[in-house]
Amino acid sequence: MAAHDCCSADQTTETPDLVVVGAGSAGFSAAIAAAELGARVSFVGHGTIGGTCVNIGCVPSKTMIRAAEALHGARAAARFAGIAGEARLQDWSAVVRQKDELVSALRQAKYVDLLPSYNTIAYREGRARLTGDGVAVDGDLVKAGKVIVATGASPALPRIAGIETVPYLTSTTALELERLPKSLLVTAVAISAASSARCLPAPA
C-alpha cells in the first residue's frame, strides 16, 4: 500500500505544534509520542508507508533468513549421532510470496491501521522540503515551531570499477529476486565519514 492510501481520522488545517517528515518506524514513533503528549502533529510521508524496517529491511530479510536456517538445520541434522534429517527447496517463489504477504500484513496492522486512532495527527503524502518558515510539502507551506526529520536512508552504489556493466543487486533488490541464483558474490566496501561526505552532492 502506498503512503497516500493512508489517512488519519482528522486532517486538521490548524497550525501544528510539530511536523514529522518520514513515515517509517522512527517517524511513526515520534508522531505518536507527540500526539499522546497533546501535540498537534503534521505527519508527512512519501512512498510506501512503513519505511525500511517493515518493507525492505528487518521483516523481509529475517523472514528469508529463518527459512534458510530451517533448510540448513534439517540438512545438517546428520552431524548428530542417531539423527537423520532431509529438506529441499521446493518452490522459491512461494518463499518470496510468503515474505511479501507478511510484509503487507504487518505494514497494514502496525502502520496504516494505527493512524485513525490519533485525531491530532494529520497525515499527508508528498515530497517535503525545509524552508525558513517550516516545511513545504509539494509546494504547500506547513508552518510549525518544531520539525523532526526521520527520512531514513536508501542503498548507494559503491565506487567499484565496472559495476555499472554487471547485473548488481542492492539490499533491496536482493529481496525481490523471483529466481534463486546459483551463486552470489557479496562485496563489502568501507567508506570513511570524510570520504563519504565528499561523495555527497551539495544541497539544492
Side-chain angles (χ1 to χ4, degrees), residues 19-199:
V19 176
V20 178
V21 181
S25 57
F28 262 81
S29 296
I32 289 173
E36 290 177 343
L37 292 172
R40 298 185 305 275
V41 182
S42 181
F43 191 16
V44 184
H46 180 65
T48 304
I49 203 167
T52 297
C53 185
V54 71
N55 292 303
I56 57 174
C58 309
V59 172
S61 64
K62 300 304 185 292
T63 301
M64 301 187 80
I65 287 171
R66 295 298 175 264
E69 285 180 346
L71 188 63
H72 173 75
R75 290 176 173 177
R79 293 180 300 172
F80 300 95
I83 297 179
E86 181 179 348
R88 64 186 178 88
L89 179 61
Q90 184 173 7
D91 186 349
W92 171 257
S93 62
V95 175
V96 176
R97 283 197 306 272
Q98 185 184 44
K99 176 262 297 181
D100 291 340
E101 290 168 359
L102 177 61
V103 166
S104 179
L106 288 180
R107 182 172 59 234
Q108 185 71 34
K110 300 297 185 180
Y111 293 87
V112 176
D113 291 345
L114 281 183
L115 286 179
S117 302
Y118 298 88
N119 59 13
T120 57
I121 298 178
Y123 182 88
R124 65 178 298 171
E125 157 73 14
R127 291 181 179 273
R129 182 182 181 88
L130 297 179
T131 72
D133 297 322
V135 178
V137 183
D138 287 341
D140 296 331
L141 179 63
V142 180
K143 293 185 177 181
K146 299 184 184 299
V147 179
I148 293 178
V149 178
T151 53
S154 58
L157 196 62
R159 292 184 174 181
I160 301 176
I163 191 171
E164 69 281 353
T165 66
V166 299
Y168 63 84
L169 297 170
T170 67
S171 58
T172 299
T173 57
L175 297 174
E176 299 171 347
L177 290 175
E178 296 182 357
R179 297 179 61 185
L180 184 65
K182 293 182 178 180
S183 62
L184 189 67
L185 173 66
V186 179
T187 302
V189 179
I191 302 177
S192 67
S195 63
S196 63
R198 289 194 299 270
C199 295

